[in-house]
Amino acid sequence: MVPIAPFGIYGQIAIGSHGMVALAYAIGMIGMLFTALSYSKMSQAIPIAGSVYSYAQRGLNDNVGFIAGWLILLDYIFIPALLYLVSAVALADIIPQIPIIVWLVIFIGSNTLINIRGIVFTAKTNKIILILEFIVLAIFIVIGITAITQHVNGATFSFKPLFNPTEFSLPTVMGAVSIAVLSFLGFDAISTLSEESKGGKKAVGRATVLSLILVGVLFIIQTWVAALIFPDYHAFKNPDTAFYQVAGIAGGDWLRIVTIVATAVSWGIADALVAQTAISRILYSMARDRKLPHVLAKVHPKYKTPYISTILVAVISLIVTTIFASQIGKLASVVNFGALSSFLILHIAVINFYLRKKQSKQYFKYLVMPLIGFCVIGFVWWNLDSLAKTLGFTWLAIGIVYLIFLKIFGKNVEITDDLS
């Protein structure tokens, strides 16, 4: 979840929303906000690694926890590959002489080494890249607004990117939202680092909610500006590089190149770095509970990181990127199915954990809010394309078969609510 995440998928959302890109991101932010609040509640009550796997496990039961973890694995295992591919394709637009596989090996190799070094080193690397992203975003917004005031490409201020009554239809916009939520995926990864964070139980929850609101506002602003500069979403040369086309119109070829490089670095290093970190912690947590091969729970003797899980994610990413090198859209659909499905389970876990297990009487906080989040996420999930559902349910079926195998032949680890 990076400030310039829309750069890489702007064209797809603009076409899908009939130009109402800012509206798609606004709805996505509101929907994800309810989910972030549920994450916040559970991270305070269950401050351990594992994210939705641990929350569903203790909020509902061990079997549902496994299914939730299996679904979020679909998100986290494939999303690094997706991020690497988007970055490689972006760089290929300006340096076509270098094969995509070379960029993939560079990104995957460097991120794996950084992750094994530990979360502190990972955090420092991300801070540097984050500053650079904010600088690029600020440059684009300033130049973009200047271009609008000077009516470059016929641009004029309008609310149409937020709402256009002549183009609006709820199914159309929600279909675009189902793609836009990809930019938000990442706030949930904060909870995978609960055992390595500082600041107490509330720190993870605050970071989850505040980071979501911050990037949501930034997403709306940058896509609004881009839509005003280039309102004819039918005229993109290539939807995958549409934002760079807009940047070139606003500021010239130098700005086009800057946004391409920024996308490659932010998606291929910063975003993928966090994704790889998160999935390695979930694999570690599930392996520690004997739900996956126990070797994945091995911790590096010096850096104290789950290095076997980290290396496995790198190998999987290289394989997946090779297979889906020209099918970025399919990867994005699969990622969203895994994330949204696990979010649905999370909301149910909040209700069951607080109202039934903890006997809380705060019905608005622990019933109404999660139910709203469940309905919004459910509606977005319903609008996923058929391919995403087909591949997603296939993955779910494999997980159920594997769970049955574990129940028959696996070694059980007793899970309790004692987190002391």
Side-chain angles (χ1 to χ4, degrees):
M1 186 176 65
V2 296
I4 59 174
F7 284 17
I9 56 175
Y10 173 82
Q12 300 289 346
I13 301 172
I15 294 172
S17 64
H18 291 184
M20 289 174 282
V21 197
L23 176 61
Y25 273 107
I27 295 175
M29 180 180 69
I30 294 171
M32 289 297 161
L33 182 58
F34 286 101
T35 301
L37 290 171
S38 286
Y39 265 104
S40 177
K41 295 180 181 72
M42 295 304 281
S43 66
Q44 292 180 41
I46 307 172
I48 61 176
S51 185
V52 69
Y53 158 68
S54 298
Y55 303 154
Q57 184 185 62
R58 289 166 169 78
L60 292 164
N61 62 53
D62 191 37
N63 294 333
V64 178
F66 174 85
I67 294 301
W70 187 260
L71 286 168
I72 204 68
L73 281 179
L74 185 63
D75 169 11
Y76 286 163
I77 283 178
F78 282 91
I79 203 167
L82 174 64
L83 298 170
Y84 293 135
L85 274 179
V86 170
S87 301
V89 169
L91 289 176
D93 192 53
I94 55 176
I95 315 177
Q97 296 85 358
I98 299 180
I100 288 178
I101 186 65
V102 174
W103 293 118
L104 294 175
V105 171
I106 292 173
F107 285 136
I108 294 172
S110 59
N111 278 2
T112 301
L113 292 176
I114 292 172
N115 267 324
I116 291 176
R117 287 289 303 274
I119 193 61
V120 174
F121 192 69
T122 299
K124 289 179 178 178
T125 303
N126 265 284
K127 283 180 181 178
I128 295 171
I129 297 175
L130 182 64
I131 293 172
L132 297 176
E133 290 168 13
F134 275 119
I135 292 172
V136 172
L137 181 57
I139 291 171
F140 171 78
I141 291 175
V142 171
I143 292 178
I145 292 176
T146 302
I148 294 169
T149 58
Q150 295 177 352
H151 306 296
V152 173
N153 198 41
T156 57
F157 178 78
S158 169
F159 283 101
K160 287 183 178 180
L162 189 61
F163 183 71
N164 186 352
T166 60
E167 296 279 353
F168 178 82
S169 77
L170 190 58
T172 296
V173 172
M174 293 307 292
V177 173
S178 69
I179 303 174
V181 294
L182 180 67
S183 300
F184 291 100
L185 299 186
F187 72 89
D188 50 303
I190 298 172
S191 62
T192 68
L193 302 171
S194 293
E195 295 178 27
E196 300 166 81
S197 65
K198 299 178 181 179
K201 293 182 178 181
K202 293 184 178 181
V204 170
R206 284 197 301 265
T208 301
V209 175
L210 292 177
S211 64
L212 179 71
I213 294 173
L214 174 61
V215 297
V217 172
L218 293 176
F219 292 165
I220 292 171
I221 293 173
Q222 64 193 271
T223 55
W224 196 331
V225 170
L228 292 178
I229 295 170
F230 200 100
D232 187 4
Y233 55 88
H234 294 295
F236 292 139
K237 295 178 181 178
N238 180 354
D240 292 335
T241 57
F243 196 94
Y244 318 134
Q245 182 180 350
V246 174
I249 293 172
D253 200 53
W254 71 270
L255 185 57
R256 181 184 71 87
I257 294 175
V258 166
T259 54
I260 288 175
V261 173
T263 300
V265 173
S266 62
W267 284 60
I269 298 180
D271 209 2
L273 192 62
V274 174
Q276 191 177 31
T277 302
I279 181 56
S280 64
R281 269 60 177 181
I282 293 178
L283 291 173
Y284 160 80
S285 186
M286 295 181 75
R288 183 175 59 182
D289 294 340
R290 303 285 182 174
K291 298 299 188 299
L292 291 174
H294 194 60
V295 67
L296 297 176
K298 289 194 67 173
V299 175
H300 194 283
K302 179 179 180 180
Y303 300 118
K304 308 303 180 184
T305 54
Y307 71 105
I308 299 296
S309 292
T310 302
I311 293 172
L312 176 62
V313 175
V315 173
I316 292 175
S317 295
L318 187 59
I319 294 172
V320 172
T321 51
T322 302
I323 296 174
F324 290 90
S326 60
Q327 304 179 71
I328 293 178
K330 291 182 180 180
L331 266 181
S333 297
V334 174
V335 164
N336 286 342
F337 180 95
L340 296 176
S341 299
S342 65
F343 292 167
L344 292 174
I345 296 175
L346 170 70
H347 289 299
I348 297 174
V350 171
I351 295 171
N352 189 70
F353 181 80
Y354 281 99
L355 297 188
R356 190 180 71 83
K357 289 192 172 186
K358 297 300 181 182
Q359 299 293 308
S360 175
K361 302 301 180 183
Q362 299 183 57
Y363 294 108
F364 181 79
K365 188 176 182 180
Y366 299 124
L367 177 61
V368 176
M369 297 287 279
L371 277 179
I372 294 174
F374 182 91
C375 291
V376 175
I377 295 298
F379 194 60
V380 176
W381 181 95
W382 185 261
N383 283 277
L384 287 170
D385 62 43
S386 58
L387 176 64
K389 293 177 182 177
T390 299
L391 294 177
F393 279 120
T394 300
W395 176 263
L396 178 59
I398 294 172
I400 293 173
V401 171
Y402 180 60
L403 177 61
I404 295 172
F405 176 84
L406 286 178
K407 289 296 179 183
I408 298 175
F409 302 104
K411 181 179 179 180
N412 290 324
V413 174
E414 184 179 357
I415 304 299
T416 68
D417 291 333
D418 184 10
L419 302 172
S420 59

